[in-house]
Amino acid sequence: MPIERTLSIIKPDATRRNLTGRVNAMLEAAGLRIIAQKRLHLTTAQAEAFYAVHAARPFYRDLVTFMTSGPVVAQVLEGENAVARNREAMGATDPAKAAPGTIRKELAESIEANSVHGSDSAENAAVEIAFFFAGIEITG
Ligand code: ATP
Ligand code: MG
């Protein structure tokens, strides 16, 4: 299996509840290595740009408001099949539908305040990693 990298974000609902360490422990238990990490408070323009792909969706404005409501922790995760492995560790978008033991099932508040983001393809991972990190900040 290929060693991949993926972009993870611990969302404002999780940082507000002091769950950064718990999320990180679940990611590491899933076999993912946190090779870059920074805490930041997104501006509206930054959140709009990151979620531009969802601009036409009805929840877009609420999503941008939520993602700027507090600090986030952006991370680069590395491991075998990291994109799919992280999506599996996260669980379904809606925590009510997420499998037991997943981050969203255990920690998320709602379909919007669902604690974590993970890239959905290797192609998007490369774009999303470059959105948050310079190459010099990533140490594999
Ligand atoms: P993410 O992209 O954050 O990893 P995802 O790929 O599981 O999550 P997407 O369909 O890409 O889900 O939606 C992006 C984010 O928009 C979701 O994580 C959630 O925060 C929010 N969202 C998605 N669907 C809804 C909805 N029906 N109502 C409110 N918010 C939603
Ligand atoms: Mg998505």
Side-chain angles (χ1 to χ4, degrees):
M1 279 190 287
I3 299 291
E4 283 180 343
R5 291 178 176 181
T6 191
L7 191 278
S8 165
I9 303 174
I10 303 177
K11 294 185 178 183
D13 68 288
T15 60
R16 179 170 43 77
R17 289 176 289 146
N18 210 22
L19 295 174
T20 299
R22 261 189 79 190
V23 171
N24 282 354
M26 291 174 86
L27 294 172
E28 290 178 346
L32 293 159
R33 185 172 290 273
I34 301 163
I35 60 169
Q37 177 166 255
K38 66 171 97 169
R39 179 173 165 110
L40 63 167
H41 196 137
L42 293 174
T43 64
T44 297
Q46 288 167 341
E48 285 173 349
F50 184 76
Y51 279 117
V53 64
H54 293 313
R57 307 275 283 271
F59 55 80
Y60 178 68
R61 288 276 31 119
D62 283 350
L63 177 60
V64 168
T65 299
F66 164 62
M67 288 299 288
T68 57
S69 67
V72 300
V73 178
Q75 314 174 299
V76 181
L77 308 179
E78 185 176 78
E80 283 185 1
N81 256 341
V83 172
R85 190 181 283 254
N86 183 42
R87 299 284 295 186
E88 201 175 311
M90 290 160 59
T93 309
D94 181 353
K97 296 180 183 150
T102 61
I103 294 168
R104 285 168 167 168
K105 182 66 174 186
E106 301 304 318
L107 304 179
E109 294 182 317
S110 68
I111 191 169
E112 177 180 81
N114 59 4
S115 300
V116 281
H117 163 85
S119 307
D120 58 13
S121 68
E123 293 71 28
N124 285 341
V127 173
E128 293 180 356
I129 289 169
F131 185 91
F132 281 100
F133 294 95
I136 198 169
E137 297 176 297
I138 305 170
T139 47

